[in-house]
Amino acid sequence: MMLEVKPSKALSLMLDTIKAGHVPMLLGGTGVGKSEIVLEVAEMLSGDRQLSFDNIRPTAKQFGFIDMRLSILETIDLSGLPLITEDGEQRRAFLGNLPISGDGVLFLDEFAQSNTSMQSVAGQLIKERRLGEYILPEGWHIVMAGNRSTDRSGANKIVAHAMDRVQPIHFIHDTDDWLSWGFENGVDQKILSFIKYMPQYLWTFDPKLIESQPSPRSWTRLSDILKVSEDDELLQYHAYSSVGEVASLEFLNFISLFQDIPNLDVIFEGGGAGIPDGVGLQYATCVGLSTSFQGMDSKKTTRYFENALRYVQSFPTPEFSMFFSRAVVGCRPELKETKAYVDFRIAHHDLMV
């Protein structure tokens, strides 16, 4: 039985493996967020140093991050071009893409999608931390990732000697982890609310389909587009292109619920608005309330937040008020200091993780 872990646990497992001097390799489905976890690991290892991308000579104030997609490279891109010196010795001319000094993370991505020859070359770097004359600096850590061959997503079988040299971490998407990440990274609140409402659409993968399918990556891409799109009529096309037919239809149906949400001004002023019927409409109301705080006059935010939070706390389950509070403080961090939010956290400390 394969033991799969969610993103937050995978992060801890990777850090432990790196600190022990070994190489972690994330294995998981397409678009579940492996690359984002690796980047988060690099940010944690960097401490107070600036993350410096594609820098083979990071300074003392920098922490390097080099992302190498092995599936699109030839073996010479990693092991260098063979040459004969004037003395008749065989050497290799490296291509200036491997670290030379400093500290950082060398991310060997798409390892499972690379061919056997590339896996063998990378395997030498993993085991010996060198390729011919090249030696990986002591301050650099190797981290790897790849898709699973069982997903039939272009992944090859990993050669046995390479698998024996890494610490495999079987990675699976997790709705709560992704929602937490989404709140912290500004994912569109309509998308967050929809995934909270219908978590089965966070990730689905059918290798027989050639159209877009929902995944943490594709939902994040749709969120980025929604932030800059000014034409509501294009929403259907953007959604279909990002997450496919089925998920986009369900998302659009959810968006249509916003036409029936209560008068938000009445709620903000502490008026007696009734509780909406149905879970979908209740989530839509929470989204409408939370998004109203973006760009709101700072003189109103505290009072409006207190009234809105009191209102959503009257909903059937605490998950609505938790969603609302996290969404609001995500865009207005100053509200974390309000009495209403502090009291709410204390009252729900067992659920606020």
Side-chain angles (χ1 to χ4, degrees), residues 26 45 129 245:
L26 282 180
L45 293 174
R129 294 181 62 88
E245 180 180 7

Side-chain angles (χ1 to χ4, degrees), residues 29 51 68 82 189 341:
L51 210 58
M68 302 188 75
Q189 291 174 19
Y341 183 74

Side-chain angles (χ1 to χ4, degrees), residues 252-263 281 284-285:
L252 293 171
N253 288 335
F254 178 79
I255 295 300
S256 68
L257 293 173
F258 284 84
Q259 300 173 8
D260 300 320
I261 64 176
N263 188 315
L281 193 55
T285 302

Side-chain angles (χ1 to χ4, degrees), residues 75 78-79 116-126 130-131:
T75 55
L78 196 61
S79 61
T116 303
S117 298
M118 177 58 80
Q119 290 186 20
S120 297
V121 172
Q124 182 185 356
L125 184 60
I126 297 165
R130 66 182 302 157
L131 291 169

Side-chain angles (χ1 to χ4, degrees), residues 191 218-226 238-239 242-243 251:
I191 292 177
S218 59
W219 283 116
T220 304
R221 183 170 63 247
L222 176 59
S223 171
D224 293 338
I225 294 173
L226 294 182
H238 287 316
S242 297
V243 298
F251 178 61

Side-chain angles (χ1 to χ4, degrees), residues 43-63:
E43 290 173 342
M44 296 181 71
L45 293 174
S46 66
D48 57 358
R49 291 171 290 182
Q50 179 184 5
L51 210 58
S52 182
F53 295 91
D54 299 322
N55 186 350
I56 63 175
R57 298 184 183 88
T59 66
K61 295 182 178 181
Q62 296 175 324
F63 190 83

Side-chain angles (χ1 to χ4, degrees), residues 123-348:
Q124 182 185 356
L125 184 60
I126 297 165
K127 181 182 180 182
E128 303 175 19
R129 294 181 62 88
R130 66 182 302 157
L131 291 169
E133 305 88 55
Y134 171 78
I135 300 176
L136 183 70
E138 286 295 326
W140 282 78
H141 310 284
I142 300 175
V143 177
M144 303 168 64
N147 291 345
R148 303 171 301 199
S149 59
T150 53
D151 285 327
R152 290 180 286 171
S153 55
N156 301 312
K157 183 178 179 180
I158 299 176
V159 294
H161 70 269
M163 182 62 81
D164 188 54
R165 295 170 182 174
V166 301
Q167 184 79 350
I169 299 171
H170 295 277
F171 180 84
I172 190 171
H173 70 282
D174 180 82
T175 302
D176 291 336
D177 272 14
W178 188 77
L179 288 172
S180 296
W181 178 88
F183 281 117
E184 295 174 2
N185 289 272
V187 173
D188 186 275
Q189 291 174 19
K190 293 187 291 295
I191 292 177
L192 294 175
S193 186
F194 172 70
I195 296 301
K196 182 72 175 177
Y197 174 48
M198 304 189 77
Q200 67 270 30
Y201 285 109
L202 175 60
W203 184 83
T204 60
F205 180 74
D206 184 346
K208 296 186 291 295
L209 292 180
I210 59 173
E211 67 173 28
S212 299
Q213 299 184 61
S215 70
R217 180 191 299 158
S218 59
W219 283 116
T220 304
R221 183 170 63 247
L222 176 59
S223 171
D224 293 338
I225 294 173
L226 294 182
K227 291 177 183 178
V228 299
S229 178
E230 299 179 354
D231 189 344
D232 292 340
E233 294 183 358
L234 297 179
L235 175 59
Q236 176 182 353
Y237 303 97
H238 287 316
Y240 178 87
S241 298
S242 297
V243 298
E245 180 180 7
V246 177
S248 64
L249 286 175
E250 292 291 352
F251 178 61
L252 293 171
N253 288 335
F254 178 79
I255 295 300
S256 68
L257 293 173
F258 284 84
Q259 300 173 8
D260 300 320
I261 64 176
N263 188 315
L264 301 184
D265 290 333
V266 173
I267 297 171
F268 286 135
E269 294 296 341
I275 299 175
D277 293 328
V279 174
L281 193 55
Q282 289 163 7
Y283 271 120
T285 302
C286 288
V287 173
L289 289 168
S290 58
T291 54
S292 298
F293 283 87
Q294 297 174 358
M296 181 183 289
D297 186 342
S298 58
K299 296 179 181 179
K300 300 178 180 179
T301 53
T302 299
R303 180 167 60 91
Y304 279 15
F305 176 65
E306 292 174 351
N307 290 334
L309 181 58
R310 187 181 307 112
Y311 170 73
V312 296
Q313 283 184 285
S314 67
F315 284 14
T317 64
E319 64 181 286
F320 297 102
S321 52
M322 291 176 63
F323 176 88
F324 167 76
S325 62
R326 291 173 65 187
V328 173
V329 299
C331 66
R332 303 300 293 260
E334 68 272 17
L335 291 173
K336 289 183 179 180
E337 307 301 324
T338 61
K339 184 178 185 301
Y341 183 74
V342 171
D343 290 346
F344 178 78
R345 281 192 62 88
I346 293 174
H348 298 87

